[in-house]
Amino acid sequence: MLASLAVALSGCLPTPSLRDLANRKGLAFGTAVRESALSTDSPYSSTVASQFNLVVPENELKWDALEPQQGTFDFSQGDAIVNFAAANGIAVKGTPLVWDSQNPAWLTNGTFTRDQLIAILQTYITTVVGHYKGKVAQWDVVNEAVADDGTLRNDVWLQAIGPDYIDMAFEFAHEADPNAKLFYNDYGGEGLGTKSDAIYNLVAGLKQRGVPIDGVGLQMHIDASGSPSPADVASNMSRLNALGLQTAITEMDVRLPLPATNSELASQASVYQSMLRDCLTAANCGTFVMWGFTDKYSWIPGFLPGYGAATMLDDSFNAKPAYYAIRQDLGG
Ligand code: G3I
């Protein structure tokens, strides 16, 4: 009897939902989602629908998924997520339009002149942003263009086009959907330091040149060690606000060494809580997105062996301390 009650309760989250609480605060509260899980795992899809007012396709709007052969676009997986979101009254954020990773082989292995690569970039952004015009309200236009030492990442875009590929990407996206909010997105520059200074200088230059950028995404793939400090993140948000830019926390997760102890889960909860509080307190942060909400589908164990337990719900969709900490910040 007790066992069956426990099964029945497993995965049940209290009301009001995080989504309802976030709506009351005017916060876009989101998670990365996987189409493969949305379409096959009903506890997963029902939790997305009940707890979030924003979703971000984790891989389905990346270049290798959307244009596997040059000139042949496949929107099927992205459309499935956008349709799920529309059916549930959920907004969609897209990521990323330009990146050094998850590009199709024809692009990675091809040899192109500068003009050819600019044309490829323009066609891709125009086609993708145009396809989702009015459906994807916010795009990460350029992702991870700054290296850890603060220089521009020496990738295919920089090598073939030069630093102005960044300006071009924002211009192309704005032309394709003038109403979409356009962000620069990166990791490791959430607080203060060499990389966040470089990102600050990059976006200050974009603003100065009149490039249509709306904000900076702070990915926030972190551990529970206390770095970056909430105070540094608040300062970074504040200096970006002074440039007239929005900020967003775009990919938050807090990895722990496995198996996680109760005290590590408590530290993780306070890290989630302090970063969400930074966003809620800042004058210019209206979006808080987690890179997955259940440990069942987190990218961490596959990429960082020995680490995991990085999200607010366990493998069975049960609430962890991080869930309650987030809920408390949202006023629940
Ligand atoms: O789609 C193929 C599938 O056809 C194949 O059978 C399978 C076999 O490995 O791989 C599948 O592709 C995987 C893809 O995720 C979709 O599941 C890739 O191998 C895998 O590398 C890829 O990982 C993604 C990673 O970006 C790639 O860089 C993660 O899921 C995704 O969470 C992660 O997300 C990034 C953000 O976009 C940018 N910021 C950092 C963040 C974490 O790395």
Side-chain angles (χ1 to χ4, degrees):
M1 172 67 182
L2 272 182
S4 63
L5 189 62
V7 170
L9 286 175
S10 140
C12 283
L13 300 173
T15 55
S17 66
L18 300 182
R19 175 179 178 158
D20 288 341
L21 293 167
N23 283 342
R24 288 178 203 169
K25 289 200 174 286
L27 179 72
F29 180 68
T31 178
V33 291
R34 295 184 181 182
E35 200 284 322
S36 57
L38 273 183
S39 58
T40 58
D41 186 338
S42 58
Y44 179 91
S45 54
S46 64
T47 306
V48 173
S50 66
Q51 302 301 320
F52 297 97
N53 59 26
L54 175 72
V55 291
V56 182
E58 185 173 348
N59 290 297
E60 294 80 353
L61 296 185
K62 291 174 177 173
W63 203 321
D64 59 353
L66 291 182
E67 195 184 7
Q69 272 83 47
Q70 187 170 12
T72 304
F73 285 83
D74 177 0
F75 292 110
S76 54
Q77 295 224 317
D79 286 358
I81 294 177
V82 167
N83 292 339
F84 171 88
N88 289 286
I90 297 173
V92 183
K93 172 178 178 285
T95 192
L97 292 170
V98 188
W99 193 19
D100 183 35
S101 184
Q102 285 180 285
N103 290 323
W106 65 264
L107 177 57
T108 309
N109 301 332
T111 309
F112 304 104
T113 65
R114 180 173 191 272
D115 284 349
Q116 284 171 332
L117 208 55
I118 292 171
I120 286 169
L121 188 65
Q122 180 164 24
T123 299
Y124 179 75
I125 292 177
T126 304
T127 306
V128 172
V129 176
H131 181 84
Y132 289 112
K133 185 175 182 179
K135 296 177 178 168
V136 170
Q138 201 177 124
W139 282 101
D140 292 333
V141 177
V142 176
N143 195 44
E144 301 175 9
V146 175
D148 292 346
D149 66 1
T151 60
L152 279 185
R153 191 176 297 282
N154 191 24
D155 62 12
V156 56
W157 305 110
L158 185 71
Q159 286 168 16
I161 300 179
D164 44 347
Y165 82 86
I166 297 174
D167 300 39
M168 292 177 196
F170 279 94
E171 302 282 3
F172 297 153
H174 184 65
E175 278 162 27
D177 184 357
N179 293 321
K181 297 291 176 212
L182 306 181
F183 279 65
Y184 174 80
N185 191 49
D186 215 327
Y187 68 87
E190 294 86 357
L192 299 176
T194 305
K195 186 160 179 178
S196 86
D197 287 350
I199 294 168
Y200 175 86
N201 290 331
L202 171 70
V203 298
L206 295 177
K207 282 295 279 183
Q208 202 174 24
R209 293 193 292 281
V211 174
I213 178 173
D214 295 292
V216 175
L218 312 176
Q219 291 189 8
M220 208 66 81
H221 294 290
I222 56 179
D223 59 25
S225 66
S227 176
S229 76
D232 281 2
V233 173
S235 299
N236 196 28
M237 287 176 168
S238 170
R239 69 176 172 168
L240 291 165
N241 188 45
L243 288 179
L245 289 168
Q246 290 291 304
T247 58
I249 291 179
T250 53
E251 304 185 12
M252 183 154 185
D253 50 28
V254 183
R255 62 184 173 271
L256 299 175
L258 296 174
T261 65
N262 284 341
S263 108
E264 285 161 343
L265 289 166
S267 303
Q268 176 187 59
S270 84
V271 172
Y272 269 105
Q273 187 160 52
S274 56
M275 294 307 167
L276 176 53
R277 195 169 295 159
D278 269 352
C279 181
L280 289 167
T281 309
N284 60 335
C285 183
T287 303
F288 179 88
V289 180
M290 297 182 288
W291 210 237
F293 62 92
T294 164
D295 294 340
K296 187 172 181 181
Y297 296 108
S298 168
W299 70 289
I300 296 276
F303 279 74
L304 297 166
Y307 288 84
T311 76
M312 67 171 188
L313 304 183
D314 71 12
D315 284 340
S316 306
F317 303 96
N318 294 308
K320 293 158 62 179
Y323 164 85
Y324 293 104
I326 290 166
R327 195 162 196 282
Q328 193 178 42
D329 263 8
L330 292 175

